[in-house]
Each structure stands twice: as C-alpha cells, then as structure tokens.
Amino acid sequence: MKLLFEGATETVTGSCTLVKANDKNILIDCGLYEGNAVEHLNSRNFNFNPKDIDYILLTHAHIDHSGRIPYLVKKGFRGKVICTKPTKDLCDIMLPDSGYIQQKMKKWDMPIKKKNDIVLYDMEDAYKSLTFFEYVDYNKEIELEKDIKIKMINSGHMLGSAFIEMYISENGKETKIVFTGDIGNQNNNMLPNYEKLESADIVVIEATYGDRLHDETISVEEQIKQAIIDTVKQNGKLLIPAFAVGRTQEIVKYIKNIYESIDEEYKVPVYVDSPLAIKAFDKFMQNTEHLNEEIKRIYEVKEEFLSFKELKLVSELDESMYLSTKDESMIIIAASGMADFGRVKQHLMNNISDERNTIMFSGYVAEGTLGREIKKGKRNIKIGGEKYKQRAKIKTLQGMSGHVDMQGLIDFIRNFSKKPKQIYINHGNGEAKENLQKELSKVLCKEAEVIIPKRDIIYEIKNIFTTRIKPKFDLEEFYSQRLSAQEKILFSIYGEGIENYAHFQSNSEVPNDEQSKKKIGILNKLGYWAG
C-alpha cells in the first residue's frame, strides 16, 4: 500500500490524497486551492494520471475538498465518486456554482497565466462530473473491491460530512486507515456531534487549528446579539461574509433565536443575499434526519427552523445592488465567507467606508484573500481594482468554527481505545502542523510515528512502517509548472544549478539520460540556470 499526498500539504485548502492498494487507485477528496496565495497550485500537473483513478471517496461537499472533481473528469477520470447522500445533494448545487464562477472569471481582465490557474472548468463540466456520483449510507460497510472495504461515519463538520474508514487486506493482513477530512466542532446549533471512533492502524488527520484554541468565553449567540444591538444603535448595517452552505444556515438559526427575545427596536430586516445559500436551505430541509435532535423536534411540529418574519431571501442581482446602497439599518449575510468573490464584494465596496457599519467574519479566512486583508485592519483596502477607506468596525465571531481546535484534535486521537501506530498530519499551515505533531507525540508517548507528509514523496506502508520513495524527476513538468519567471531569474543570478534546485524542491532524482542532459544544457545556455 502506498500513500501520495497530492493536495493540502502546503495549506488548508486543496485536499487530495491518493491511496494505491491491490492494483487500485483511490483518491480521498479532490478539492480546489482557494486564496490568491495558493490558487496557482490548481493548474499544476497531478502526480498521477486521472484516467487511472478508480474511485474518489469524498469526505464532504466543501469546495476545498470537492472542487477539482469536475477538472479531474475533464482530464479523463471515469471512475466512481462515493459519498453520503447529503454530500451528493450539496454537490449537485455547489459544483455547478463553482463552474459558473469560473465561467465569469474567464471574462475578467487579468493575465492569461493567472486566468489559467483559476479557470479550470465550466458549468457543463460540473454537471457532467455529477453523473459519476453514487451515495452510500452512514455506518454501512461497503466492499469497493476484493480486499478493500470502506465505511462512512458522521464527522460533524457540515451536512453530510464523514470520516472515511478504509480496510485494506494485503498479504493476509488487514490495515485500517481513517481519513478524517475536516473534524467538526462540538455543539453546533444544527449538526450532531461527530461519532467517536474506536480504533485505527493509521490516521490521516487535518490540522486547520493545530496551533490554536477557540475563544469560547462569550457564546456565539451573545456575540451576534451584541453586534446587532451596537450596529442598530448607530443606524448602521451588519454585514456578515459567510460560506453559502452550512455557515449561512447556522447564522440564520442563531439570529432566529435572538429575535425571539431581543427588543423590537433591534429586529431589523435580515437579508440572505446568496442564490447558492437559498438553494442550500432546500437541501437542509430534505435531509433533516442528519441534523441534530433540536432541529428534528422543531421539524416534527412542522415549524420552519430556518424561517422567521424578518428574514428575506434575495435571489435577484438587482435587489442585491439596491440593498447594497440602501441607507438604513439591516443585517446582510452574503457569500463568500473569505470575501474573495460573490455578492459580498459589492456590499463591501458600498459599506466598508461607513463607520456606522460592522463587518463580522464568521469563520476561517485564508491568507491571500480579501477577507484576510480586511481582518488585518489596513486603512486602505483594494476591492475590484479600486481603493476604499476602511472605517467600518471589523469583528470576528469567536468560537464559531466548523473545525475542532488544537485540544479537539488531541482529544479526537485520545478517544481511540486502540491507538493508531501512524498519524499523517495534513490540511494545515506549517506552524499548525508542526505544533500538532509535537502535541500528538506527547500524547502517544512515542508509541506512534507522527508524520508531516510532503507532496512529492510516495509513502510506502509495510506492516505499519513507512518507506519514503523518491519520485522520478519530470523535467518538462518542472520547467512548465514549478518554476516562475522570477525564480528563473533568481537562480540564474545566484548561480544555482538545476540539480540543487530539484533536490531542494522535492528531494528527487535528476534525470541523467542524454536527452534530458541536452534539454538542461539548452536551458542553461538560455540563462535560466547557471550551470
């Protein structure tokens, strides 16, 4: 059995891990890289041939886990995508929406190279990819192939999310691998807590908050309530950038609870300005059996758990534009959560310079996104090519995260009655992964190997011991994908040879056949590297 970590090794987005076992190739997730700092990684060559992939096992519908599936189909994938029913239902709306966004980006005025990095497929490609989806029930063991079985267990991260338990038999020995995907934070106001797992030989775990603890001093509901009161007193707008699926519905549920007890003067109109979020409302209603017990009780008495008098759903763009400029107190919840695209950008343009307004972020905001720039408190913010003075108050909802924090990650491993022998830490920035590696090593008292995998290394697992295999160095891929124009100039100036650079990048072997030597020689003559 071999593991290849194709995505999310450098950051918290782009999840994609390849399992090679019993002559089968199985991907766990295939997500988009999100944020200006990493979106160029979307267009780099896969370290595998998409035509060779037999299955994609999808942990959940978020685009950083599912968003490159249409691209994989476009490149020749013809296998099966296996997930839970709610995940399939959400992908039915989320992947075409992703394709639509990319279609719009085609028309944007930007360098061709950048456009190629972020425009991977269109709506037609997305709809085609959905024909490869098949859903399975939670907690039901499925035989994918002879000697390969899987089971999907509720992970509490979003509607339909799952831990994937994979059982692989090789040479008469069965190995159990758990892929966590994203581990849900506890006590979500709509979702049940994740199901605790009993055992695993190997765990591939996320590390989004591997170096931080959530601040839960003040409840999420109380934070939202106070923001409403403070903003309405100023006759301002409360603008909440939020992910259309999951986070928007949770915020609406909190506001509904608040409006049941808050003074009438503070019950301003609440607008959900996101066509995708509105479609997601229907998907939640169709999957109430996968929500928490409180929601089930509300639904049983026929009460709308995501509806109240002041709530308005905005589909039309004209109405969205009107709201953006309307000078009265209101609450606007708009996608996207990181403010990188979507209708929230128009609302920010028209409202960020008004000191009466409040912008409240509701979740993780990646480096390189507009949301991160705003959160840094810069006085001048560039949105859509124009600069705006940032005068609005900036807040972040503390404790409202779809991910467990550092202690939650540690507790997840502690809960195993039979501890894993190997843990691979992925899906996190460098500091988060390194800190979690240190903390988990303490918990496991050196009884397990805790590994931070690298993208260009194949991990061969034999009897729960890992051998790292150097990949073959691909000169064409190296030149066309990995080396920017700036790097070419820098390496030329500083006299670094291609051998040193290749070793630094991936610890891989440089080809020494005659044809490759000739290509390297040509590149050196052109001044790309000093030889």
Side-chain angles (χ1 to χ4, degrees), residues 11 29 70 108 146 210 213 219 225 257 388 392 428 472 479 493:
T11 181
D29 295 336
W108 290 5
K146 186 179 183 297
L213 298 174
S219 72
K225 180 180 178 180
N257 290 349
Y388 296 84
K472 184 179 178 182
Y479 178 67
I493 291 171

Side-chain angles (χ1 to χ4, degrees), residues 2-3 5 424 453-454 457-461 466-468:
K2 296 174 182 177
L3 296 178
F5 293 84
Y424 291 86
K454 295 183 178 180
I457 301 293
I458 297 169
Y459 296 83
E460 185 169 18
I461 300 166
T466 299
T467 303
R468 293 158 177 79

